[in-house]
Amino acid sequence: MSLILVRPHILPLLCLVAVFIPTTGSTGEEALSWENICRTDVCRATGHDGVMEARISPDGAHVAAVLETPDKQGIYLLSHDTENLSKWVTGTSPRWFADGERIVYVGDSDLWVVDVDSQNPVRLTNDGNDVRAPKPSPDGHRIAFYSTRSGHQDIWLVNTNDSGKPKQLTRESMTVEEARLGHAWSPDGKKIAYFSNKADYWDDDLWLVDVESGNERKLSGTVMGRAAPAWSPDGRRIAVFATAKDEFWYGDLSDLYVIDAASGDERRIEMQVHAMAMNQPQWSRDGSELFFPNHLRGELDLWRVPASGGVATQVSNMGGLIHGFDATEGAGEFIFIRSTPTRGREVDRLPKAGGRTDQLTAVSTDWQGVKAPDVISYRSLGGHYIQAFLFTPPDFSPATKYPALVQVHGGGTNSYYNGLNLVEQRLAHQGYVVLAINYRGGSGFGQAFQDMAVHHWADDQAHDAAAAANFIREQPWSSGKVGIYGYSYGGIMSLAAVTRAPEAFDAAVPMAGIYDWADAYKSADRLGRLFTSEGHGGPPEDRPEVYARSNSVTRIAQVETPILLMHGEADARAPFNQFEMAVDALQRQDKVFESHSYPGEPHRFRSPQNRVDLYSRLEDWMDRWLK
């Protein structure tokens, strides 16, 4: 852990004094303290506790839901008929067998099977190796799962009759650190479709492996797949979320492709919207329709399109943020894990016929004083209007003066979603007006909006953040003091803004960012390098002028803003040396700053205590400079 203070005449960072903070309000709702927000492993900018995973049985009779709340952890069984939600087993990643009578799941890094009417599971593996994404074969005799025991993300098989050791099926299918891609059994159980980069380091191709022989065959040629593939009911086609290799690789904007399982012929489904890659596309029973999530202006809903292409139409009208979805066999009924600006992650249900959604669970924490943000737009560089979510303090009055914060979201090509955003809610409760912005390059506003940031990362985007600060200062409630903060790409944006618009902000807290993309390209993991290359149009040696444009370290001399820089020391997505480079540059330029790093923490922090410390330091830094 390092703490570097420059210009010792500035006040030291406020100590984290142990004080009594009530865990619940007088109404039984939880108080918005960092300790409460970050008490579990699901402390993030959106979502938080509640239902982490949900799978509906093929016949729709039951839902297996993974709960993570202060008083409920594990897999719970929800009955369609009785609406009863009861603790089933301890574990994660449930997947139903085709008969709907049992699930396979992950517990203690092993695979287990349990019947609907039982709480006595059968252990299938017991070897101490990791297991991920188990899926039963159509006949229920075998389980396919991912494991890195081979030194790669490979698919393994284990029998469900508890005999024999797991058998490796694929060879070097993906790098160890990438657990973002899925696999799918063919309807006849003879093949498994999966994504692999073994033909080309930069490609996520669709492959098929024969279950009996182990023979593998690359099926796709021109697309970059994501999420998990989905076989058509007749086994002749495979639907995938993907982008063409000769197009920009977006984070949350995908096309739907249908690939012939025999020939590999690829067909993009022509429609007027794009999909968001999540779980897997869902086929109708007769194979004539596909269902997929679509992202529009910070909110997600379910859409439908003919499998042959045509006009896509919206199925659900829920709003908020979908974290995952599933369907019964033939897509007769859908379930969603969804949060809203005032509600945590719960399971909602919608029949294929349409209508209103039903909320099936009520397990997430109720938070004291949360209220939905106002959705606004403000004018930015080039005359473009940028969407923003405006969080205001309790009893907000335009006649009162407030300090303000600009939140810049992570992901870059992702978006700020209108789910439950407790970080911003907490800061608003502390007397700040918070403006969370969807700067150019993010999803949910069409491909042309995303293309505005291609080859201009951290540059024009930084001026969208500066324009937000200017907009705030023009409001009657503004005290004139404005800070900026963000994590991951939000950390990138925070430092980019104060190096390109030195007078825009009075305080900045960049967290877990990349500040010299050319250097990060050398040491980031594969996904980080792929993301970097796509955004800059190639590697640093081929695009030096583009990498110079996105570089914030070389612009440190222009900084006038007090900066608190924080980073995890085991970060491989935004390599830790990015933090060290920025700290060194700030020191050499004699800037006002502090820095703090967290030993052993990867890009997504694991320790709740460290997350409490991170956000407490953020709040204290803003208090020091803005209040």
Side-chain angles (χ1 to χ4, degrees):
M1 181 179 295
S2 61
L3 178 60
I4 302 169
L5 296 107
V6 187
R7 296 193 182 174
H9 60 274
I10 68 173
L11 294 172
L13 188 66
L14 297 178
C15 297
L16 299 178
V17 181
V19 296
F20 173 74
I21 300 176
T23 57
T24 60
S26 59
T27 62
E29 299 171 331
E30 294 282 350
L32 283 167
S33 69
W34 294 125
E35 288 79 4
N36 285 344
I37 294 171
C38 297
R39 65 193 162 199
T40 70
D41 193 42
V42 293
C43 172
R44 300 169 188 151
T46 57
H48 299 276
D49 69 6
V51 182
M52 299 295 107
E53 304 172 74
R55 295 289 176 179
I56 191 168
S57 60
D59 59 3
H62 298 92
V63 173
V66 179
L67 271 53
E68 180 66 53
T69 73
D71 59 349
K72 293 182 176 66
Q73 297 87 37
I75 301 175
Y76 281 65
L77 184 64
L78 177 65
S79 169
H80 183 283
D81 292 336
T82 67
E83 299 184 355
N84 180 55
L85 180 70
S86 58
K87 178 66 181 290
W88 196 3
V89 288
T90 299
T92 62
S93 305
R95 292 304 292 255
W96 289 95
F97 284 73
D99 59 12
E101 297 297 325
R102 52 186 174 152
I103 61 167
V104 60
Y105 67 96
V106 176
D108 294 328
S109 297
D110 279 306
L111 295 179
W112 303 73
V113 171
V114 64
D115 292 340
V116 166
D117 57 357
S118 171
Q119 291 182 315
N120 298 309
V122 175
R123 193 173 202 149
L124 297 185
T125 63
N126 191 11
D127 52 23
N129 290 300
D130 65 302
V131 294
R132 180 179 72 83
K135 292 184 180 179
S137 59
D139 62 10
H141 294 162
R142 285 181 281 201
I143 306 295
F145 64 95
Y146 274 111
S147 176
T148 60
R149 64 190 73 192
S150 65
H152 292 81
Q153 288 279 355
D154 276 313
I155 298 174
W156 292 67
L157 296 174
V158 66
N159 294 330
T160 54
N161 62 6
D162 200 25
S163 64
K165 295 181 178 180
K167 170 187 173 184
Q168 185 174 354
L169 186 60
T170 66
R171 306 287 167 176
E172 301 183 0
S173 66
M174 187 55 71
T175 54
V176 168
E177 68 272 9
E178 290 199 41
R180 60 191 174 88
L181 301 170
H183 57 99
W185 288 89
S186 62
D188 61 9
K190 294 181 179 180
K191 294 180 175 63
I192 294 176
Y194 65 100
F195 296 110
S196 175
N197 75 323
K198 60 185 167 186
D200 188 305
Y201 178 84
W202 298 109
D203 294 343
D204 295 330
D205 296 307
L206 183 67
W207 286 65
L208 294 182
V209 59
D210 185 85
V211 173
E212 295 304 325
S213 68
N215 292 333
E216 299 175 80
R217 174 169 66 97
K218 187 168 83 75
L219 190 62
S220 67
T222 68
V223 300
M224 288 283 288
R226 60 188 62 184
W231 291 80
S232 62
D234 61 9
R236 298 172 59 185
R237 298 163 293 167
I238 304 172
V240 297
F241 298 115
T243 53
K245 292 179 182 179
D246 59 359
E247 296 178 349
F248 186 77
W249 189 80
Y250 296 101
D252 284 355
L253 188 150
S254 298
D255 288 303
L256 268 177
Y257 280 83
V258 172
I259 301 175
D260 187 276
S263 67
D265 288 343
E266 303 160 350
R267 177 175 58 83
R268 189 199 314 245
I269 294 181
E270 298 298 332
M271 56 181 173
Q272 82 278 16
V273 298
H274 289 85
M276 181 171 178
M278 179 183 294
N279 299 125
Q280 62 184 148
Q282 293 288 342
W283 290 88
S284 62
R285 188 177 298 276
D286 62 2
S288 66
E289 303 170 284
L290 281 163
F291 298 86
F292 61 94
N294 169 261
H295 170 213
L296 180 63
R297 299 187 62 80
E299 298 191 317
L300 275 73
D301 269 295
L302 186 72
W303 286 59
R304 172 264 185 195
V305 68
S308 58
V311 175
T313 49
Q314 189 169 331
V315 180
S316 70
N317 292 274
M318 303 177 296
L321 175 58
I322 297 173
H323 303 267
F325 79 110
D326 197 20
T328 58
E329 184 180 7
E333 187 173 68
F334 302 94
I335 61 167
F336 311 89
I337 302 174
R338 188 172 70 97
S339 66
T340 74
T342 58
R343 188 198 83 177
R345 300 166 65 124
E346 304 289 358
V347 178
D348 294 330
R349 178 176 60 201
L350 179 69
K352 182 179 179 181
R356 297 182 61 181
T357 55
D358 295 324
Q359 183 177 329
L360 302 184
T361 62
V363 297
S364 61
T365 297
D366 290 326
W367 295 97
Q368 187 177 13
V370 297
K371 59 180 181 179
D374 293 324
V375 185
I376 67 168
S377 294
Y378 65 93
R379 193 172 174 90
S380 184
L381 186 70
H384 299 292
Y385 283 85
I386 303 299
Q387 183 197 40
F389 298 90
L390 186 71
F391 296 83
T392 56
D395 302 321
F396 171 79
S397 169
T400 303
K401 302 297 183 182
Y402 301 92
L405 301 172
V406 173
Q407 195 276 359
V408 275
H409 66 77
T413 61
N414 304 116
S415 189
Y416 188 89
Y417 300 106
N418 199 22
L420 182 63
N421 294 288
L422 292 183
V423 171
E424 287 65 60
Q425 295 278 2
R426 156 73 185 189
L427 292 170
H429 273 237
Q430 298 308 109
Y432 290 99
V433 172
V434 185
L435 196 66
I437 67 171
N438 272 328
Y439 50 84
R440 69 191 66 200
S443 60
F445 305 90
Q447 187 168 340
F449 185 81
Q450 295 220 254
D451 288 341
M452 290 169 65
V454 176
H455 306 163
H456 287 270
W457 277 8
D459 195 42
D460 288 352
Q461 294 172 319
H463 293 287
D464 286 340
N470 295 335
F471 170 79
I472 287 169
R473 290 192 177 95
E474 294 171 354
Q475 305 310 305
W477 45 258
S478 172
S479 70
K481 295 290 187 178
V482 184
I484 185 172
Y485 70 95
Y487 196 94
S488 190
Y489 204 97
I492 295 165
M493 282 283 291
S494 298
L495 193 63
V498 298
T499 56
R500 289 161 176 81
E503 298 179 357
F505 295 99
D506 301 289
V509 182
M511 298 172 283
I514 291 173
Y515 314 116
D516 180 342
W517 289 93
D519 184 84
Y521 181 86
K522 303 173 187 176
S523 51
D525 59 15
R526 175 182 174 266
L527 186 57
R529 296 184 72 204
L530 175 62
F531 188 63
T532 301
S533 179
E534 284 289 314
H536 292 80
E541 59 269 22
D542 295 344
R543 307 282 286 174
E545 74 287 353
V546 181
Y547 283 84
R549 189 182 300 141
S550 67
N551 193 317
S552 293
V553 172
T554 57
R555 294 173 166 83
I556 292 292
Q558 300 170 201
V559 169
E560 299 177 8
T561 308
I563 295 173
L564 170 61
L565 204 68
M566 294 188 283
H567 215 107
E569 295 182 12
D571 197 332
R573 183 61 43 80
F576 179 61
N577 73 317
Q578 292 292 301
F579 169 86
E580 296 173 313
M581 292 175 67
V583 166
D584 181 65
L586 288 164
Q587 281 182 312
R588 283 187 285 103
Q589 296 293 336
D590 194 30
K591 299 301 179 181
V592 179
F593 83 100
E594 291 183 9
S595 64
H596 191 79
S597 64
Y598 296 85
E601 288 290 10
H603 193 60
R604 176 170 287 176
F605 278 27
R606 295 193 179 104
S607 164
Q609 292 78 15
N610 283 342
R611 288 192 291 268
V612 170
D613 186 77
L614 180 90
Y615 287 115
S616 297
R617 289 175 184 272
L618 182 157
E619 184 179 316
D620 289 346
W621 188 257
M622 296 303 183
D623 287 350
R624 181 197 301 186
W625 298 104
L626 306 184
K627 291 184 177 181

